Amino acid sequence: MPSTPFAPVILGNEPGSFPHSVLAERHPAIIGRVRDAFPYGPGQHRALDELLKSCTEGTVEPLPADAPDRDRWQEWGLAGRAGRSWFDVPWLWSESYFYRRLLDAVGWFGPGAWQGIDPFRPFKRAELDAPETAEELAALDTLSGLPEERRAHALLHGSLWGNRADLGFRLSAEGAEARDPAPALVADDSEALWSLLPPDGTATLVLVADNAGRELVPDLLLIAHLLAEGRAARAVLHVKPYPYYVSDATTADVVDALHRLRAAPGAAAGYARVLWSAMADGRLTVRAHPFSCAPLGYEEMPDDLRAEFAAATLTLFKGDLNYRRLVGDRLWPPATPFKETTAYFPGPVAALRTLKSDVITGLPAATEAALVAAEDQRWRTAGTHALIQADVK
């Protein structure tokens, strides 16, 4: 990864900054939502109170001596950060450790009756059951008569925009982003991405998933299309090994999404059959590597994960958090080439990302100027802009 004095690691200790608001406001709000979503007992309530005080007023505390992943977190930097303010350690690390401690507070790691109970499950299920999900799945029926390239384009954009997936099916709006002086799609390397997935049935796709619910469904639809049309012979879906960042997808969320697709009428159920069959015969596998929940960038990935990515025809990273981990959670000058920040990656790599944090690379100066003129710096974090970037190596 390039080293430059103009790309400092992002911290959360600047009042008024987006990272500071996450630590000072979002995390306490998440504790409140989790507390209200379950009939937890006194032990969990006390632990949540302690976590609230720790992350807003206190310092990073070590994991319990009997924590199953204590040694792993020591390797991930806990030893050097315990005793410091949550605001003064790298923001990526602080955020990640918050979710690890939240799971401790609600009893996820057990032993006890709450072991393995996802504290975010009600929010994920609500998205799958929302009327908007049904509308988006119904929109799949309009794709069936279109040429493969246009269906692929629509499904890629559905995956890109996540819970704004309906945008991916507004085919009449193609090219609108290019005409807008402050475009919704701020970078588009989709041609390079597709060049790695020709319809010859030989490619291996690794997709590193982001959120569950209405954002995971379009990821699965994209995978189903690539398998059915011969653009991928095999796909590997990486999810989180435990609940993380509220809505990040786990294996249980993949199962829920598949059941939602199976229950839908029309084309959606057909996509579900493709996925179900692919999982049964091994063309689609789900992986939950421990490093998926690491508070570190992918430049520090372990050897087994590096080997898997190196063997893939294309590794596709979804979402904002994965983008931060891919390019480095730093305040890069926006014009810093994406290929420079991913030069360490062992194979072809691409990112589909809706902008929800300050990190950005590969942005032409004219595009940045138009965005700043139209929105000041809000374009970086509002989730109203997106990018498709690729490093084909």
Side-chain angles (χ1 to χ4, degrees):
M1 184 168 291
S3 177
T4 168
F6 303 107
V9 172
I10 296 177
L11 305 178
N13 57 6
E14 182 181 343
S17 68
F18 181 70
H20 188 276
S21 72
V22 170
L23 299 178
E25 301 168 19
R26 182 184 295 178
H27 286 179
I30 289 170
I31 291 173
R33 289 183 68 198
V34 167
R35 187 196 302 271
D36 292 342
F38 287 91
Y40 289 129
Q44 279 105 337
H45 283 285
R46 283 194 298 271
L48 289 170
D49 287 340
E50 291 170 3
L51 177 60
L52 177 62
K53 185 173 183 180
S54 169
C55 69
T56 55
E57 305 173 16
T59 59
V60 173
E61 298 176 1
L63 289 173
D66 60 350
D69 55 352
R70 188 173 186 273
D71 290 345
R72 184 178 297 138
W73 274 92
Q74 291 292 103
E75 294 175 2
W76 289 345
L78 178 56
R81 294 181 171 97
R84 299 174 62 185
S85 167
W86 292 76
F87 295 84
D88 291 336
V89 302
W91 181 44
L92 174 63
W93 198 97
S94 185
E95 273 196 292
S96 300
Y97 194 58
F98 167 79
Y99 288 100
R100 174 59 185 80
R101 293 313 304 255
L102 180 61
L103 292 184
D104 259 344
V106 299
W108 164 270
F109 291 100
W114 292 95
Q115 185 176 21
I117 302 298
D118 184 347
F120 311 124
R121 181 172 171 80
F123 318 129
K124 297 173 180 178
R125 286 296 316 179
E127 277 206 356
L128 277 181
D129 296 336
E132 293 84 355
T133 302
E135 294 171 6
E136 290 160 6
L137 294 179
L140 291 169
D141 295 340
T142 66
L143 299 182
S144 58
L146 298 176
E148 188 275 335
E149 284 190 7
R150 294 195 74 197
R151 282 183 283 135
H153 171 91
L155 292 168
L156 181 70
H157 280 254
S159 179
L160 168 66
W161 287 105
N163 63 12
R164 294 175 61 193
D166 58 308
L167 294 177
F169 304 119
R170 294 181 185 173
L171 299 175
S172 61
E174 283 186 3
E177 296 92 345
R179 295 190 301 268
D180 193 320
L185 190 59
V186 300
D188 185 5
D189 292 342
S190 53
E191 286 191 16
L193 186 156
W194 289 125
S195 72
L196 295 167
L197 298 172
D200 60 5
T202 63
T204 295
L205 171 72
V206 174
L207 192 152
V208 183
D210 185 32
N211 292 330
R214 289 174 59 205
E215 299 199 28
L216 180 60
V217 166
D219 295 344
L220 291 171
L221 295 173
L222 177 62
I223 289 173
H225 176 86
L226 297 176
L227 291 171
E229 297 296 332
R231 284 182 176 263
R234 178 172 177 264
V236 182
L237 179 66
H238 277 253
V239 296
K240 302 300 190 294
Y242 51 74
Y244 194 61
Y245 278 70
V246 180
S247 56
D248 280 28
T250 65
T251 303
D253 299 317
V254 174
V255 174
D256 284 345
L258 285 172
H259 279 293
R260 179 66 184 85
L261 285 171
R262 289 183 88 188
Y271 283 98
R273 288 191 291 272
V274 170
L275 293 162
W276 206 273
S277 173
M279 292 189 75
D281 63 26
R283 287 177 296 126
L284 171 59
T285 56
V286 178
R287 287 262 279 142
H289 195 285
F291 193 76
S292 294
C293 286
L296 308 171
Y298 272 93
E299 62 176 330
E300 300 185 58
M301 73 181 92
D303 291 342
D304 63 328
L305 197 55
R306 180 177 294 275
E308 180 175 338
F309 291 153
T313 308
L314 172 65
T315 300
L316 183 58
F317 282 86
K318 274 297 310 295
D320 193 80
L321 173 61
N322 284 328
Y323 187 86
R324 292 164 57 193
R325 296 186 65 198
L326 176 64
V327 305
D329 202 35
R330 296 173 175 268
L331 290 173
W332 298 107
T336 304
F338 176 73
K339 290 185 177 183
E340 283 190 17
T341 61
T342 57
Y344 72 90
F345 203 80
V349 63
L352 301 182
R353 178 227 183 176
T354 303
L355 278 60
K356 297 178 182 176
S357 68
D358 290 312
V359 178
I360 185 70
T361 67
L363 198 64
T367 302
E368 182 195 4
L371 291 165
V372 172
E375 306 175 33
D376 195 18
Q377 295 298 327
R378 292 187 300 276
W379 61 273
R380 292 176 178 260
T381 59
T384 54
H385 298 277
L387 57 79
I388 302 171
Q389 291 178 323
D391 177 4
V392 299
K393 301 299 180 185

